[in-house]
Amino acid sequence: MSDRKRDILLNAVEDYIQSASPITSSNIRAHCSENLSTATLRNELNALEAMGYLRQLHTSSGRVPTAKGYRYFVNSIMGDVPLDKAVLDEIHGIFENRSVYLGDMVNEIADIVSKATNYPAVVMLKGFEKLIIKNVKIVPLMTGQALILIETNSGVINNFMPAKADIPAQTYVDASNFLTTTFSEHSVADMIQNIENYRVQMGKDLAEFCGIFDTMIDSLKRLCDKIASSGGFAARGQLRLLNSPEYHDLDKAKRVIDALSNPKDLEQIFDEPDEEEISFRIGTEIPVTELQDCAVARADYTIDGESVASIGIIGPQRMDYAKIASALKFVVGEFANLKALDSSNKGDKDE
């Protein structure tokens, strides 16, 4: 592709993303750096159409980008993604009020991304059992339950378990300290799978811990099973699709919304590893048939090389790719900066 064709194509796609108006030689002329005649521009647009980057809606109408055209545009802009300050300020403001509880985090991150980009967002939490334990606290409550707080390298796992009234509060403190000492820097899976091996170490002096540990492990297993059965997915902002002209056809919008509500469909998009910091799938690059008139943006949040969560945005192929990439890049950075709650506040917050 010549430099002139490249310049015309990039300007044409950018103009269409912003205006949703078909591309014509007259409305693209103002964006090109060269002083080209309308006839020359028309010839270049015809050539780009023949090359498969543009397509004509009707015989006498303007053109729109094809999936190939959007792919060329994305590949061209992704080298140095600009950061949209207004979008980043909004994301940062939402993050300041977020929870660090992993059970809530999936929904919160999906909400943040959807609100900031005005497109549906999906978050897939994975590798939950691989998270590394930093601290464990079991806090008895007045309700007859105990709050389990496991601080990890990516936030706090919180869950509840039954608590017996005849177990002194100090026993829960001692059990918490024992678990922290024993399992700090181990994975959640290691604690769940190997708690039995530590019974021998407990001896008679620690026998009263056994009931607490059994109840806690049962509670954590149920939490892990719940996350696994749901796929660890949260989808938010599906109705924002209706803001795009492409989805004013309700039947068309419904097919996409239904796909966003199906964990099996979403798993096809997010289950495969992706080495790119920010990646896009456009049109037939998307494995889900119902989403092949869309574009999907994806970013992975990793810890020590392990993907902990995938964050995705689904929208029309006319989505603002630079804005989306900017938002995802910033969200992943904010995600990485999440700090654990102060231990002095954990019990008070949940009571």
Side-chain angles (χ1 to χ4, degrees):
M1 183 183 293
S2 67
D3 289 343
R4 185 165 72 184
K5 283 186 176 64
R6 179 182 184 278
D7 188 45
I8 291 171
L9 178 59
L10 295 183
N11 279 285
V13 175
E14 176 67 25
D15 185 69
Y16 184 71
I17 287 172
Q18 299 302 328
S19 68
S21 297
I23 300 160
T24 64
S25 54
S26 57
N27 65 19
I28 202 64
R29 185 179 181 186
H31 300 289
C32 293
S33 57
E34 295 184 59
N35 186 21
L36 301 176
S37 68
T38 301
T40 301
L41 276 171
R42 188 181 299 115
N43 288 336
E44 293 287 27
L45 291 173
N46 286 337
L48 289 167
E49 182 179 351
M51 295 167 72
Y53 293 103
L54 302 174
R55 65 182 176 87
Q56 199 159 25
L57 293 174
H58 306 289
T59 304
S60 59
S61 66
R63 298 168 176 83
V64 297
T66 62
K68 181 179 178 181
Y70 284 119
R71 167 52 62 195
Y72 188 90
F73 178 81
V74 168
N75 290 347
S76 299
I77 68 169
M78 286 306 293
D80 184 22
V81 177
L83 299 180
D84 186 321
K85 187 176 185 305
V87 174
L88 304 192
D89 286 346
E90 182 176 3
I91 294 172
H92 185 69
I94 299 171
F95 256 94
E96 285 184 336
N97 298 316
R98 88 293 179 250
S99 164
V100 293
Y101 290 150
L102 293 178
D104 303 328
M105 189 184 295
V106 174
N107 292 330
E108 291 191 8
I109 298 297
D111 277 333
I112 287 169
V113 174
S114 180
K115 288 175 182 176
T117 62
N118 205 32
Y119 290 122
V122 175
V123 175
M124 175 184 175
L125 181 66
K126 49 191 176 179
F128 176 81
E129 71 284 353
K130 297 177 183 177
L131 298 178
I132 302 302
I133 296 168
K134 299 297 183 182
N135 189 30
V136 180
K137 285 191 180 296
I138 307 174
V139 183
L141 307 175
M142 299 293 290
T143 59
Q145 293 180 304
L147 175 63
I148 306 168
L149 293 164
I150 302 177
E151 182 183 334
T152 75
N153 57 339
S154 185
V156 178
I157 301 169
N158 68 312
N159 207 26
F160 293 90
M161 67 182 219
K164 294 182 179 179
D166 59 347
I167 297 180
Q170 185 59 44
T171 301
Y172 285 97
V173 174
D174 294 340
S176 299
N177 292 337
F178 178 83
L179 287 168
T180 297
T181 301
T182 304
F183 292 107
S184 179
E185 301 305 323
H186 290 252
S187 69
V188 173
D190 183 50
M191 182 173 69
I192 292 174
Q193 293 167 5
N194 296 318
I195 190 72
E196 293 293 333
N197 298 335
Y198 291 89
R199 286 185 177 278
V200 176
Q201 298 180 26
M202 293 178 190
K204 292 183 179 180
D205 292 340
L206 300 178
E208 60 185 333
F209 291 175
C210 293
I212 295 175
F213 295 158
D214 288 343
T215 306
M216 184 192 74
I217 295 302
D218 286 343
S219 175
L220 287 177
K221 283 180 178 177
R222 287 195 299 273
L223 180 61
C224 289
D225 289 344
K226 179 180 177 182
I227 290 174
S229 64
S230 68
F233 283 106
R236 292 291 185 273
Q238 292 93 324
L239 293 182
R240 289 192 168 96
L241 275 178
L242 302 180
N243 296 328
S244 299
E246 292 86 345
Y247 298 104
H248 287 174
D249 180 341
L250 295 183
D251 288 337
K252 185 178 179 181
K254 184 178 183 300
R255 288 195 296 272
V256 176
I257 291 171
D258 286 345
L260 294 179
S261 303
N262 188 335
K264 290 184 179 179
D265 284 344
L266 297 176
E267 190 172 354
Q268 294 183 61
I269 300 172
F270 297 104
D271 210 24
E272 294 182 3
D274 197 322
E275 296 181 359
E276 298 293 329
E277 181 182 26
I278 308 293
S279 64
F280 289 92
R281 289 186 180 185
I282 303 169
T284 55
E285 296 171 359
I286 303 171
V288 180
T289 303
E290 290 77 9
L291 297 178
Q292 287 184 349
D293 64 347
C294 300
V296 176
R298 169 180 167 178
D300 281 4
Y301 170 54
T302 61
I303 297 177
D304 298 330
E306 289 280 352
S307 178
V308 174
S310 289
I311 306 165
I313 296 170
I314 293 90
Q317 293 182 14
R318 190 184 54 83
M319 68 164 55
D320 189 334
Y321 292 95
K323 176 181 177 181
I324 298 300
S326 173
L328 282 177
K329 191 172 184 179
F330 190 71
V331 165
V332 170
E334 289 289 290
F335 205 165
N337 290 332
L338 289 175
K339 293 184 172 68
L341 294 175
D342 293 336
S343 58
S344 59
N345 294 332
K346 290 175 181 173
D348 293 342
K349 176 171 179 172
D350 286 81
E351 289 185 58

